Amino acid sequence: MSRSVLKAILLVLMRVLYRPVVEGVERIPGEGPVILAGNHVTFIDSLFLSLVVRRQVYFIGKDEYVTGKGFKGRLMAWFFTTCGMIPVDRDGGHGGVAALMTGRRVLDRGRIFGIYPEGTRSPDGRLYRGRTGIARLALMTGAPVVPFAMIGTDKVQPGGTGMPRIAPVTVRFGEPLDFARYEGMDRDRYVLRAVTDEVMSRVMHLSGQEYVDIYATKAKAA
């Protein structure tokens, strides 16, 4: 009940304040496991994604978002988990494996799992090379991949911090991608790279972003 009420309240606020343009949402299957894979330009991308999709979307988030102390910490924990965030310690040596297994559990239950293949927010608004976890997840579960693009959310919350501003937002979904032809090849690194690159190519065409063939983490470090 709390999840439905919170989503209804936030949906009204979003429509009144931002009036987002949503394109192609009907391309998301109405039932069964689905992977939503898209670009990541600011902190609130997951919130907008959760609100424009009719079905509940689950996604990975840093466990620090739900481990705060006091009233504020409990409020944040309730908010993020109610919105569909699953906390995972991604900073440890097995963070990537934990995130992958969490996504697989969500999909095995016939739900929607949202993922940002870049692995982190874009440091400059460009689209960076995708990590192959998205491919492994798709090949292990057989779930279709629906690419999406967040456009304008970086103007709502520049840098991913501070109070959100009012700015136009578009959320665009592409046609589902089926990778059944690669069944049983989830350990072939060439196949994983090909699948990942295909997903990122679709995201690039949907978002209109410039593509950079390096990892975003490397760009941030530089």
Side-chain angles (χ1 to χ4, degrees), residues 136-178:
R136 290 195 63 192
L137 199 56
L139 299 189
M140 285 191 302
T141 64
V145 178
V146 177
F148 70 88
M150 309 299 298
I151 304 169
T153 51
D154 54 332
K155 302 297 189 297
V156 173
Q157 197 178 37
T161 59
M163 289 296 294
R165 305 173 183 178
I166 305 299
V169 171
T170 297
V171 186
R172 186 175 293 146
F173 297 92
E175 294 288 349
L177 302 174
D178 181 4

Side-chain angles (χ1 to χ4, degrees), residues 21-73:
V21 175
V22 183
E23 302 174 0
V25 70
E26 71 280 356
R27 292 168 173 162
I28 301 175
E31 59 183 18
V34 179
I35 301 172
L36 297 181
N39 60 335
H40 195 15
V41 292
T42 194
F43 177 76
I44 60 172
D45 288 334
S46 297
L47 179 58
F48 272 90
L49 181 65
S50 297
L51 291 176
V52 302
V53 176
R54 181 178 58 83
R55 296 174 61 188
Q56 177 67 46
V57 179
Y58 295 88
F59 54 92
I60 295 297
K62 294 180 180 180
D63 59 351
E64 63 190 59
Y65 294 150
V66 299
T67 55
K69 305 298 182 182
F71 175 76
K72 181 179 179 181

